[in-house]
């Protein structure tokens, strides 16, 4: 990625995390529908690696401790709760970095729901915020082939990211979603289905959608 552009993998990772925090069956069905529409399987993989810290001097634990203390998300936590969070994050980091693998994979199966998997994704995302996880790559699956979000066509990624972002935004009641020229990069046939896909993503939601074309 050149300049100040954000990679499609970073966008997809952020959207998946936002969805997975409060993903219900409606949102899972939205994602399954859009994956079916663009011809992909219901499995999404997150490939990531860790920034290695010295095991001798406890650099990783110290880094996590400092970040948790400054993290606004935990500002109302008691000391005991912060210590448990530090231990959880460090234990996950230590377990993963102690293995012989340099590349790790987390999978989201849109046909199943697992609370433990949700916690794992939250942990990975938090460690990425703390700059202990890098090289994240979101991988989609299509007829036995693996396709990273960076390798998807611009039309495929635009359709997928639009529906994912709207599904995440629609969690909050009375949300106003503004879309500027969402038909760009889309094949004419896909442009004709865009409203149907957006309508499906917002089904039964108290949400307002304003589109400029």
């Amino acid at each position: 990625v050149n300049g100040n552009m954000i990679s499609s993998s970073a966008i997809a990772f952020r959207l998946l995390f936002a969805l997975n925090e409060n993903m219900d069956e409606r949102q899972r069905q939205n994602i399954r529908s859009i994956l079916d529409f663009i011809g992909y399987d219901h499995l999404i993989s997150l490939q990531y690696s860790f920034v290695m810290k010295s095991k001798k001097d406890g650099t990783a634990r110290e880094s996590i401790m400092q970040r948790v203390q400054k993290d606004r998300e935990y500002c109302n936590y008691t000391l005991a709760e912060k210590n448990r969070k530090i231990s959880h994050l460090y234990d996950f980091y230590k377990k993963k970095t102690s293995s012989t693998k340099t590349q790790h994979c987390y999978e989201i199966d849109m046909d199943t729901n697992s609370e433990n998997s949700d916690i794992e994704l939250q942990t990975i995302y938090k460690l990425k915020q703390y700059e202990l996880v890098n090289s994240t790559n979101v991988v989609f699956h299509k007829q036995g082939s693996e396709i990273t979000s960076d390798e998807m066509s611009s039309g495929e990624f635009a359709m997928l990211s639009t529906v994912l972002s709207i599904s995440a935004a629609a969690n909050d009641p009375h949300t106003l979603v503004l879309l500027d020229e969402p038909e760009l990069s889309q094949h004419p046939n896909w442009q004709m289905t865009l409203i149907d896909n957006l309508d499906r993503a917002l089904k039964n939601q108290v949400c307002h959608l304003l589109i400029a074309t």
Side-chain angles (χ1 to χ4, degrees), residues 71-82:
D71 197 324
R72 291 184 178 181
E73 183 178 343
Y74 309 130
C75 64
N76 293 323
Y77 277 34
T78 65
L79 179 60
E81 288 173 330
K82 287 183 178 180

Side-chain angles (χ1 to χ4, degrees), residues 20-179:
N20 224 46
E21 278 191 305
N22 297 292
M23 188 180 295
D24 55 22
E25 185 53 34
R26 176 194 67 84
Q27 291 170 319
R28 286 184 178 276
Q29 183 56 50
N30 288 342
I31 298 173
R32 289 194 293 264
S33 295
I34 198 63
L35 288 173
D36 288 339
F37 178 79
I38 62 178
Y40 285 78
D41 300 337
H42 294 176
L43 181 67
I44 303 175
S45 303
L46 172 66
Q47 297 175 347
Y48 63 98
S49 61
F50 286 93
V51 176
M52 300 302 293
K53 298 286 187 178
S54 172
K55 295 178 182 178
K56 269 188 179 180
D57 57 14
T59 304
R61 186 178 182 86
E62 181 67 24
S63 177
I64 292 171
M65 185 183 304
Q66 292 176 0
R67 297 299 289 266
V68 167
Q69 297 294 344
K70 297 177 181 178
D71 197 324
R72 291 184 178 181
E73 183 178 343
Y74 309 130
C75 64
N76 293 323
Y77 277 34
T78 65
L79 179 60
E81 288 173 330
K82 287 183 178 180
N83 286 336
R84 283 196 294 271
K85 179 60 66 176
I86 292 167
S87 294
H88 168 74
L89 292 170
Y90 178 68
D91 289 346
F92 182 86
Y93 174 89
K94 184 178 179 181
K95 178 182 178 182
K96 294 293 186 180
T97 56
S98 295
S99 71
T100 55
K101 295 181 180 179
T102 57
Q103 191 80 10
H104 303 273
C105 184
Y106 165 82
E107 294 186 341
I108 302 175
D109 186 346
M110 289 302 163
D111 293 323
T112 61
N113 187 14
S114 172
E115 184 177 338
N116 289 334
S117 294
D118 294 348
I119 294 172
E120 182 175 351
L121 180 58
Q122 292 167 13
T123 303
I124 296 168
Y125 187 77
K126 184 56 69 175
L127 289 175
K128 181 168 177 59
Q129 286 184 314
Y130 293 173
E131 300 178 336
L132 290 172
V133 164
N134 60 14
S135 303
T136 53
N137 204 11
V138 179
V139 179
F140 296 86
H141 302 263
K142 186 175 186 178
Q143 299 176 350
S145 299
E146 293 187 350
I147 302 172
T148 69
S149 52
D150 291 326
E151 295 170 337
M152 297 174 77
S153 72
S154 58
E156 287 176 331
F157 185 75
M159 181 69 80
L160 178 67
S161 60
T162 297
V163 173
L164 285 179
S165 58
I166 288 178
S167 291
N171 276 334
D172 298 324
H174 304 292
T175 297
L176 173 62
V177 179
L178 306 177
L179 286 178

Side-chain angles (χ1 to χ4, degrees), residues 24 26-27 29-30 166-167 170 196-207:
D24 55 22
R26 176 194 67 84
Q27 291 170 319
Q29 183 56 50
N30 288 342
I166 288 178
S167 291
D196 289 337
N197 285 323
L198 294 176
D199 186 54
R200 189 182 300 112
L202 296 174
K203 186 177 181 181
N204 298 324
Q205 296 298 301
V206 183
C207 184

